[in-house]
Amino acid sequence: AMNENCLFCKIIKGDIPAKKIYEDDEVLAFWDIAPQAPKHFLVIPKKHISGPAAMTEEDEQLIGKVIRVGAAIAGENGIGDDFRVVFNNGAGAGQTVFHIHMHILGGRAMNWPPG
């Protein structure tokens, strides 16, 4: 199900352009327009889920696929095996688009703790 007011649903539909890296019938990956690392892309399910806390059991396999695809294409896009995976939930945690999305950040050293 699409949400007509959702930025990422509009990207999925093709109404808003994105630099796509990977697409199949369930997931889409594209470069972040405001990168926070030398390499920074997003992986999203095509199903509209507002965030991690909105997931149901039936979404577990789909979000597992989001993680697997992100890790695989990181290697294919010059990131290699050293990258950070981030899901934000809620505005207070930095979520700005309320369609679940996974950030993959790489190409520089990552500090800990984050935030």
Side-chain angles (χ1 to χ4, degrees):
M2 292 272 179
N3 178 324
E4 61 185 31
N5 298 315
C6 171
L7 173 66
F8 290 170
C9 286
K10 290 176 181 176
I11 287 174
I12 291 163
K13 285 195 326 193
D15 294 346
I16 293 176
K19 285 196 206 167
K20 296 178 183 179
I21 303 170
Y22 175 88
E23 183 172 17
D24 65 24
D25 58 344
E26 292 183 307
V27 305
L28 174 65
F30 54 95
W31 294 106
D32 195 297
I33 58 164
Q36 302 300 309
K39 300 274 188 175
H40 181 183
F41 65 85
L42 304 180
V43 188
I44 65 173
K46 291 189 171 180
K47 177 183 179 183
H48 182 84
I49 302 164
S50 62
M55 285 177 61
T56 64
E57 271 187 57
E58 73 175 25
D59 299 322
E60 291 175 6
Q61 189 170 354
L62 176 61
I63 300 307
K65 180 177 178 177
V66 164
I67 296 169
R68 179 182 60 77
V69 166
I73 63 180
E76 295 166 11
N77 285 276
I79 294 174
D81 289 333
D82 296 314
F83 53 85
R84 179 160 292 164
V85 174
V86 178
F87 285 91
N88 295 319
N89 191 89
Q95 187 179 3
T96 55
V97 178
F98 291 88
H99 181 123
I100 192 169
H101 55 285
M102 181 180 74
H103 297 262
I104 297 250
L105 303 107
R108 66 168 171 82
M110 297 287 157
N111 297 316
W112 195 264

